[in-house]
Amino acid sequence: MNLSKGFLLALIALFAYLSLLLVLPFSQYILGAILIAYVLYPIQERLERRMSPAIAAGGLVALAIAGFVVPLLVVIAAVASDARRLLEQVNTDSLEMAELERAIEEQTGRTIDLPSVLADAAQNVGSVVLGRSTEWFSAITHVLVGLGLAIFLLYYLLKDGSDLLAWMRELTPLPDDVQDDFYQRLDEVMWAVLAGHVLIAIIQGTIAGLGLLATGVPNAAFWTFVMIILSLIPLIGSFMVWGPAVIYLGLTGDLLLAAGLFGYSVIVVGLSDDYLRPIVVDRYAELNPSVIILGVLGGVYAFGVMGLFYGPVVLGALIATLAVMNDHYDRLENEPGMQ
Protein backbone atom coordinates (compact mmCIF):
# COMPACT_ATOMS: atom_id res chain seq x y z
CA MET A 1 0.00 0.00 0.00
CA ASN A 2 1.54 3.31 -1.04
CA LEU A 3 1.33 6.60 0.83
CA SER A 4 -1.56 7.97 -1.26
CA LYS A 5 -3.78 4.96 -0.56
CA GLY A 6 -2.95 5.12 3.12
CA PHE A 7 -3.84 8.80 3.28
CA LEU A 8 -7.11 8.18 1.43
CA LEU A 9 -8.06 5.36 3.80
CA ALA A 10 -7.27 7.60 6.78
CA LEU A 11 -9.56 10.30 5.38
CA ILE A 12 -12.32 7.73 4.84
CA ALA A 13 -11.95 6.51 8.43
CA LEU A 14 -12.02 10.08 9.75
CA PHE A 15 -15.11 11.13 7.83
CA ALA A 16 -16.83 7.82 8.62
CA TYR A 17 -16.27 8.48 12.33
CA LEU A 18 -17.55 12.08 12.07
CA SER A 19 -20.57 10.87 10.09
CA LEU A 20 -21.29 8.31 12.80
CA LEU A 21 -21.34 11.10 15.38
CA LEU A 22 -23.93 12.92 13.27
CA VAL A 23 -26.10 9.83 12.86
CA LEU A 24 -26.08 8.44 16.42
CA PRO A 25 -28.42 11.04 18.03
CA PHE A 26 -31.16 10.06 15.55
CA SER A 27 -30.28 6.38 15.12
CA GLN A 28 -33.72 5.14 16.24
CA TYR A 29 -35.51 7.28 13.65
CA ILE A 30 -33.04 6.38 10.90
CA LEU A 31 -33.43 2.67 11.59
CA GLY A 32 -37.20 3.09 11.65
CA ALA A 33 -37.16 4.86 8.28
CA ILE A 34 -35.00 2.09 6.77
CA LEU A 35 -37.35 -0.57 8.12
CA ILE A 36 -40.48 1.09 6.72
CA ALA A 37 -38.74 1.79 3.40
CA TYR A 38 -37.80 -1.88 3.14
CA VAL A 39 -41.42 -2.93 3.66
CA LEU A 40 -42.79 -0.40 1.17
CA TYR A 41 -40.11 -0.65 -1.52
CA PRO A 42 -41.76 -3.54 -3.46
CA ILE A 43 -44.86 -1.34 -3.78
CA GLN A 44 -42.66 1.56 -4.89
CA GLU A 45 -41.22 -0.56 -7.70
CA ARG A 46 -44.71 -1.44 -8.95
CA LEU A 47 -45.96 2.14 -8.77
CA GLU A 48 -42.95 3.44 -10.70
CA ARG A 49 -44.23 1.53 -13.75
CA ARG A 50 -47.25 3.83 -13.84
CA MET A 51 -45.99 7.12 -12.38
CA SER A 52 -42.84 9.03 -11.56
CA PRO A 53 -40.70 7.87 -8.63
CA ALA A 54 -41.27 11.16 -6.79
CA ILE A 55 -45.07 10.90 -6.93
CA ALA A 56 -44.98 7.22 -5.95
CA ALA A 57 -42.67 7.92 -3.01
CA GLY A 58 -44.79 10.85 -1.85
CA GLY A 59 -47.93 8.74 -1.92
CA LEU A 60 -46.27 5.92 0.02
CA VAL A 61 -44.97 8.35 2.64
CA ALA A 62 -48.51 9.63 3.12
CA LEU A 63 -49.68 6.01 3.32
CA ALA A 64 -46.99 5.25 5.91
CA ILE A 65 -48.05 8.21 8.04
CA ALA A 66 -51.69 7.16 7.86
CA GLY A 67 -50.96 3.46 8.27
CA PHE A 68 -48.38 3.65 11.06
CA VAL A 69 -48.82 6.94 12.90
CA VAL A 70 -52.63 7.05 13.06
CA PRO A 71 -53.02 3.51 14.50
CA LEU A 72 -50.20 4.29 16.92
CA LEU A 73 -52.05 7.39 18.13
CA VAL A 74 -55.25 5.34 18.49
CA VAL A 75 -53.41 2.73 20.56
CA ILE A 76 -51.81 5.42 22.73
CA ALA A 77 -55.21 7.05 23.27
CA ALA A 78 -56.78 3.69 24.20
CA VAL A 79 -53.93 2.84 26.55
CA ALA A 80 -54.09 6.29 28.15
CA SER A 81 -57.85 5.96 28.58
CA ASP A 82 -57.47 2.56 30.23
CA ALA A 83 -54.70 3.90 32.46
CA ARG A 84 -56.93 6.82 33.49
CA ARG A 85 -59.80 4.47 34.32
CA LEU A 86 -57.37 2.31 36.29
CA LEU A 87 -56.37 5.32 38.39
CA GLU A 88 -60.00 6.32 38.86
CA GLN A 89 -60.72 2.91 40.33
CA VAL A 90 -58.70 3.93 43.38
CA ASN A 91 -61.39 5.29 45.67
CA THR A 92 -59.53 7.93 47.60
CA ASP A 93 -62.69 8.93 49.47
CA SER A 94 -62.63 5.60 51.28
CA LEU A 95 -59.34 6.45 52.94
CA GLU A 96 -60.14 7.86 56.37
CA MET A 97 -57.28 10.16 57.26
CA ALA A 98 -57.97 10.00 60.99
CA GLU A 99 -57.98 6.21 61.09
CA LEU A 100 -54.84 6.04 58.95
CA GLU A 101 -53.08 8.52 61.24
CA ARG A 102 -54.07 6.47 64.31
CA ALA A 103 -52.80 3.27 62.66
CA ILE A 104 -49.45 4.91 61.88
CA GLU A 105 -49.19 6.23 65.43
CA GLU A 106 -49.91 2.78 66.89
CA GLN A 107 -47.27 1.14 64.69
CA THR A 108 -44.53 3.77 64.93
CA GLY A 109 -45.36 5.77 68.06
CA ARG A 110 -45.18 8.98 66.06
CA THR A 111 -47.96 11.47 65.34
CA ILE A 112 -48.18 12.45 61.66
CA ASP A 113 -50.34 15.12 60.06
CA LEU A 114 -51.14 13.37 56.77
CA PRO A 115 -52.78 16.36 55.01
CA SER A 116 -49.65 18.43 55.64
CA VAL A 117 -47.39 15.60 54.50
CA LEU A 118 -49.40 15.14 51.31
CA ALA A 119 -49.38 18.89 50.67
CA ASP A 120 -45.60 19.03 51.08
CA ALA A 121 -45.21 16.03 48.77
CA ALA A 122 -47.39 17.66 46.12
CA GLN A 123 -45.32 20.85 46.39
CA ASN A 124 -42.09 18.88 45.97
CA VAL A 125 -43.52 17.07 42.94
CA GLY A 126 -44.51 20.41 41.44
CA SER A 127 -41.00 21.75 41.96
CA VAL A 128 -39.49 18.71 40.28
CA VAL A 129 -41.88 19.02 37.34
CA LEU A 130 -41.05 22.72 36.95
CA GLY A 131 -37.33 22.05 37.22
CA ARG A 132 -37.46 19.34 34.55
CA SER A 133 -39.70 21.23 32.15
CA THR A 134 -36.65 22.32 30.14
CA GLU A 135 -35.51 18.70 29.79
CA TRP A 136 -38.99 17.64 28.70
CA PHE A 137 -39.19 20.44 26.17
CA SER A 138 -35.81 19.38 24.78
CA ALA A 139 -36.96 15.74 24.60
CA ILE A 140 -40.19 16.68 22.80
CA THR A 141 -38.22 18.83 20.36
CA HIS A 142 -35.83 15.94 19.70
CA VAL A 143 -38.76 13.61 18.99
CA LEU A 144 -40.36 16.06 16.57
CA VAL A 145 -37.07 16.65 14.74
CA GLY A 146 -36.45 12.88 14.64
CA LEU A 147 -39.88 12.17 13.18
CA GLY A 148 -39.37 14.85 10.56
CA LEU A 149 -35.99 13.37 9.68
CA ALA A 150 -37.51 9.87 9.45
CA ILE A 151 -40.20 11.08 7.04
CA PHE A 152 -37.60 12.92 4.96
CA LEU A 153 -35.33 9.86 4.79
CA LEU A 154 -38.24 7.56 4.01
CA TYR A 155 -39.18 9.66 0.99
CA TYR A 156 -35.67 9.61 -0.48
CA LEU A 157 -35.04 5.96 0.36
CA LEU A 158 -38.13 5.09 -1.67
CA LYS A 159 -37.51 7.61 -4.46
CA ASP A 160 -33.79 6.85 -4.93
CA GLY A 161 -33.71 3.29 -3.58
CA SER A 162 -32.69 1.73 -6.88
CA ASP A 163 -29.79 4.20 -7.28
CA LEU A 164 -28.67 3.46 -3.71
CA LEU A 165 -28.69 -0.29 -4.33
CA ALA A 166 -26.76 0.14 -7.58
CA TRP A 167 -24.17 2.29 -5.79
CA MET A 168 -23.78 -0.31 -3.03
CA ARG A 169 -23.32 -3.09 -5.57
CA GLU A 170 -20.71 -1.05 -7.40
CA LEU A 171 -18.72 -0.48 -4.21
CA THR A 172 -18.89 -4.11 -3.11
CA PRO A 173 -15.78 -5.98 -4.42
CA LEU A 174 -17.65 -9.22 -5.16
CA PRO A 175 -18.81 -10.80 -8.43
CA ASP A 176 -22.38 -10.05 -9.43
CA ASP A 177 -23.64 -13.60 -8.88
CA VAL A 178 -22.19 -13.68 -5.35
CA GLN A 179 -23.84 -10.35 -4.58
CA ASP A 180 -27.13 -11.68 -5.96
CA ASP A 181 -26.86 -14.69 -3.65
CA PHE A 182 -25.98 -12.53 -0.66
CA TYR A 183 -28.80 -10.01 -1.15
CA GLN A 184 -31.30 -12.81 -1.74
CA ARG A 185 -30.36 -14.50 1.54
CA LEU A 186 -30.39 -11.17 3.37
CA ASP A 187 -33.83 -10.43 1.93
CA GLU A 188 -35.07 -13.81 3.18
CA VAL A 189 -33.74 -13.06 6.66
CA MET A 190 -35.45 -9.65 6.74
CA TRP A 191 -38.80 -11.05 5.69
CA ALA A 192 -38.46 -13.98 8.08
CA VAL A 193 -38.03 -11.54 10.96
CA LEU A 194 -40.79 -9.19 9.82
CA ALA A 195 -43.34 -11.81 8.81
CA GLY A 196 -42.46 -14.67 11.13
CA HIS A 197 -41.55 -12.58 14.16
CA VAL A 198 -43.27 -9.19 14.13
CA LEU A 199 -46.45 -10.03 12.22
CA ILE A 200 -47.13 -13.17 14.25
CA ALA A 201 -46.53 -11.22 17.49
CA ILE A 202 -49.14 -8.66 16.43
CA ILE A 203 -51.61 -11.40 15.50
CA GLN A 204 -51.03 -13.37 18.71
CA GLY A 205 -51.31 -10.31 20.94
CA THR A 206 -54.50 -9.21 19.21
CA ILE A 207 -56.10 -12.68 19.43
CA ALA A 208 -55.19 -12.90 23.12
CA GLY A 209 -56.59 -9.39 23.65
CA LEU A 210 -59.93 -10.44 22.20
CA GLY A 211 -60.09 -13.12 24.90
CA LEU A 212 -59.50 -10.51 27.60
CA LEU A 213 -62.17 -8.27 26.11
CA ALA A 214 -64.71 -11.10 25.84
CA THR A 215 -64.22 -12.17 29.47
CA GLY A 216 -64.47 -8.64 30.83
CA VAL A 217 -60.89 -8.23 32.06
CA PRO A 218 -60.37 -4.55 32.95
CA ASN A 219 -58.19 -2.37 30.72
CA ALA A 220 -58.17 -4.91 27.87
CA ALA A 221 -56.75 -2.43 25.33
CA PHE A 222 -53.75 -1.67 27.51
CA TRP A 223 -53.02 -5.34 28.20
CA THR A 224 -53.43 -6.19 24.51
CA PHE A 225 -50.69 -3.70 23.68
CA VAL A 226 -48.49 -5.24 26.40
CA MET A 227 -49.09 -8.74 24.99
CA ILE A 228 -48.08 -7.66 21.49
CA ILE A 229 -44.78 -6.37 22.88
CA LEU A 230 -44.24 -9.51 24.98
CA SER A 231 -45.05 -11.74 22.00
CA LEU A 232 -41.97 -10.34 20.28
CA ILE A 233 -39.89 -12.24 22.85
CA PRO A 234 -39.91 -16.03 22.34
CA LEU A 235 -40.55 -18.25 25.38
CA ILE A 236 -42.28 -15.35 27.16
CA GLY A 237 -45.13 -14.22 24.95
CA SER A 238 -48.67 -13.30 25.89
CA PHE A 239 -48.86 -15.87 28.71
CA MET A 240 -47.31 -13.29 31.03
CA VAL A 241 -50.59 -11.36 30.75
CA TRP A 242 -53.38 -13.85 30.12
CA GLY A 243 -52.05 -16.21 32.83
CA PRO A 244 -52.48 -13.61 35.63
CA ALA A 245 -55.78 -12.59 34.00
CA VAL A 246 -57.09 -16.15 34.46
CA ILE A 247 -56.01 -16.04 38.12
CA TYR A 248 -57.68 -12.64 38.51
CA LEU A 249 -60.98 -13.94 37.16
CA GLY A 250 -60.76 -16.97 39.44
CA LEU A 251 -60.08 -14.86 42.54
CA THR A 252 -63.03 -12.56 41.76
CA GLY A 253 -65.36 -15.57 41.62
CA ASP A 254 -65.81 -15.76 37.82
CA LEU A 255 -64.69 -19.39 37.60
CA LEU A 256 -66.56 -20.02 34.34
CA LEU A 257 -64.95 -16.99 32.67
CA ALA A 258 -61.55 -17.99 34.06
CA ALA A 259 -61.90 -21.48 32.61
CA GLY A 260 -63.11 -20.04 29.30
CA LEU A 261 -60.17 -17.62 29.05
CA PHE A 262 -57.72 -20.39 29.95
CA GLY A 263 -59.10 -22.75 27.30
CA TYR A 264 -59.26 -20.01 24.67
CA SER A 265 -55.69 -18.87 25.37
CA VAL A 266 -54.20 -22.37 25.39
CA ILE A 267 -56.03 -23.63 22.33
CA VAL A 268 -56.62 -20.62 20.06
CA VAL A 269 -53.68 -18.38 21.02
CA GLY A 270 -51.27 -21.29 21.45
CA LEU A 271 -52.18 -23.09 18.24
CA SER A 272 -52.10 -19.85 16.25
CA ASP A 273 -48.33 -19.88 16.65
CA ASP A 274 -48.07 -23.54 15.66
CA TYR A 275 -50.09 -23.02 12.48
CA LEU A 276 -49.16 -19.48 11.46
CA ARG A 277 -45.41 -19.69 11.93
CA PRO A 278 -44.83 -22.60 9.49
CA ILE A 279 -47.14 -21.02 6.92
CA VAL A 280 -45.47 -17.60 7.10
CA VAL A 281 -41.86 -18.36 8.00
CA ASP A 282 -41.34 -21.37 5.76
CA ARG A 283 -41.80 -19.07 2.77
CA TYR A 284 -38.61 -17.32 3.79
CA ALA A 285 -35.53 -18.19 5.83
CA GLU A 286 -36.29 -20.18 8.95
CA LEU A 287 -34.52 -18.75 11.97
CA ASN A 288 -33.91 -20.81 15.07
CA PRO A 289 -35.80 -19.49 18.15
CA SER A 290 -32.46 -19.11 19.95
CA VAL A 291 -31.37 -16.64 17.25
CA ILE A 292 -34.61 -14.71 17.68
CA ILE A 293 -34.49 -14.45 21.47
CA LEU A 294 -30.77 -13.58 21.54
CA GLY A 295 -31.29 -11.01 18.80
CA VAL A 296 -34.30 -9.45 20.52
CA LEU A 297 -32.78 -9.18 23.99
CA GLY A 298 -29.33 -8.15 22.78
CA GLY A 299 -30.80 -5.86 20.14
CA VAL A 300 -32.74 -3.84 22.72
CA TYR A 301 -29.50 -3.17 24.61
CA ALA A 302 -27.56 -2.35 21.42
CA PHE A 303 -30.15 -0.43 19.36
CA GLY A 304 -32.90 0.53 21.80
CA VAL A 305 -36.51 -0.07 20.76
CA MET A 306 -35.56 -0.75 17.15
CA GLY A 307 -33.42 -3.62 18.39
CA LEU A 308 -36.63 -5.66 18.66
CA PHE A 309 -36.48 -5.82 14.87
CA TYR A 310 -32.82 -5.30 14.00
CA GLY A 311 -31.31 -7.61 16.62
CA PRO A 312 -32.53 -10.83 14.94
CA VAL A 313 -31.76 -9.33 11.53
CA VAL A 314 -28.11 -8.73 12.47
CA LEU A 315 -27.65 -12.33 13.66
CA GLY A 316 -29.53 -13.65 10.64
CA ALA A 317 -27.38 -11.52 8.34
CA LEU A 318 -24.25 -13.00 9.93
CA ILE A 319 -25.57 -16.51 9.29
CA ALA A 320 -26.43 -15.56 5.69
CA THR A 321 -22.96 -14.07 5.14
CA LEU A 322 -21.26 -17.19 6.48
CA ALA A 323 -23.43 -19.34 4.21
CA VAL A 324 -22.51 -17.25 1.15
CA MET A 325 -18.83 -17.40 2.05
CA ASN A 326 -19.04 -21.17 2.48
CA ASP A 327 -20.70 -21.56 -0.94
CA HIS A 328 -18.31 -19.31 -2.87
CA TYR A 329 -15.10 -19.23 -0.84
CA ASP A 330 -13.06 -21.58 -3.05
CA ARG A 331 -13.97 -19.68 -6.21
CA LEU A 332 -13.36 -16.26 -4.64
CA GLU A 333 -9.98 -17.37 -3.34
CA ASN A 334 -8.86 -18.10 -6.90
CA GLU A 335 -10.61 -15.06 -8.38
CA PRO A 336 -8.21 -12.55 -9.97
CA GLY A 337 -7.83 -9.51 -7.72
CA MET A 338 -9.28 -11.30 -4.68
CA GLN A 339 -5.99 -12.51 -3.31
Side-chain angles (χ1 to χ4, degrees):
M1 180 184 298
N2 56 37
L3 183 61
S4 298
K5 288 184 178 180
F7 179 74
L8 184 59
L9 290 177
L11 283 180
I12 292 175
L14 173 63
F15 289 123
Y17 173 73
L18 294 176
S19 299
L20 181 63
L21 295 180
L22 297 176
V23 168
L24 282 179
F26 299 100
S27 59
Q28 296 292 310
Y29 304 96
I30 295 172
L31 292 175
I34 294 173
L35 182 65
I36 298 174
Y38 176 78
V39 173
L40 296 179
Y41 190 71
I43 305 176
Q44 172 76 17
E45 289 183 313
R46 295 180 182 178
L47 291 177
E48 286 182 1
R49 301 170 187 169
R50 302 181 179 180
M51 60 187 70
S52 68
I55 296 177
L60 287 178
V61 169
L63 177 64
I65 294 174
F68 291 91
V69 176
V70 173
L72 179 62
L73 294 178
V74 172
V75 169
I76 292 175
V79 170
S81 177
D82 281 349
R84 178 180 57 81
R85 285 199 297 268
L86 185 62
L87 292 175
E88 290 176 352
Q89 290 175 2
V90 179
N91 188 3
T92 56
D93 294 335
S94 64
L95 298 177
E96 295 291 342
M97 290 292 182
E99 295 180 3
L100 191 56
E101 288 176 352
R102 278 198 303 270
I104 294 175
E105 185 176 1
E106 291 175 0
Q107 295 294 327
T108 64
R110 298 178 58 185
T111 302
I112 297 178
D113 185 5
L114 282 180
S116 299
V117 172
L118 293 176
D120 292 340
Q123 184 177 3
N124 292 334
V125 170
S127 300
V128 171
V129 170
L130 182 61
R132 301 216 166 188
S133 58
T134 303
E135 297 179 13
W136 292 346
F137 177 78
S138 176
I140 293 173
T141 303
H142 180 78
V143 170
L144 294 177
V145 173
L147 290 175
L149 175 63
I151 293 173
F152 180 82
L153 287 177
L154 176 60
Y155 171 78
Y156 281 101
L157 285 172
L158 292 172
K159 176 178 174 290
D160 301 324
S162 58
D163 295 335
L164 177 61
L165 290 175
W167 177 73
M168 292 174 59
R169 291 180 66 95
E170 183 180 352
L171 287 182
T172 304
L174 292 174
D176 290 340
D177 61 325
V178 178
Q179 291 196 51
D180 292 339
D181 189 14
F182 171 74
Y183 286 122
Q184 179 183 353
R185 291 175 187 255
L186 188 60
D187 185 63
E188 291 173 351
V189 168
M190 286 286 292
W191 281 112
V193 172
L194 290 175
H197 176 50
V198 179
L199 179 61
I200 290 179
I202 295 174
I203 294 175
Q204 278 188 328
T206 303
I207 293 175
L210 293 176
L212 300 184
L213 183 65
T215 53
V217 175
N219 310 300
F222 171 77
W223 294 118
T224 299
F225 177 77
V226 172
M227 285 190 291
I228 291 175
I229 300 300
L230 291 176
S231 295
L232 291 171
I233 306 175
L235 305 180
I236 296 180
S238 57
F239 170 75
M240 297 297 293
V241 172
W242 66 256
V246 170
I247 297 175
Y248 164 80
L249 291 175
L251 293 177
T252 56
D254 296 324
L255 297 179
L256 184 60
L257 290 178
L261 179 60
F262 178 79
Y264 172 83
S265 300
V266 170
I267 297 174
V268 178
V269 179
L271 291 181
S272 66
D273 181 71
D274 297 333
Y275 282 96
L276 285 175
R277 198 172 295 276
I279 293 175
V280 176
V281 179
D282 286 351
R283 296 179 56 190
Y284 309 104
E286 184 173 0
L287 295 178
N288 189 281
S290 62
V291 174
I292 296 293
I293 191 169
L294 178 60
V296 168
L297 298 179
V300 171
Y301 279 95
F303 305 116
V305 175
M306 295 309 300
L308 290 170
F309 312 102
Y310 281 98
V313 168
V314 169
L315 292 180
L318 173 61
I319 295 173
T321 304
L322 292 174
V324 171
M325 184 186 72
N326 182 63
D327 292 342
H328 302 279
Y329 182 78
D330 292 337
R331 181 166 67 88
L332 292 177
E333 190 177 23
N334 299 320
E335 189 86 13
M338 290 290 177
Q339 299 179 1

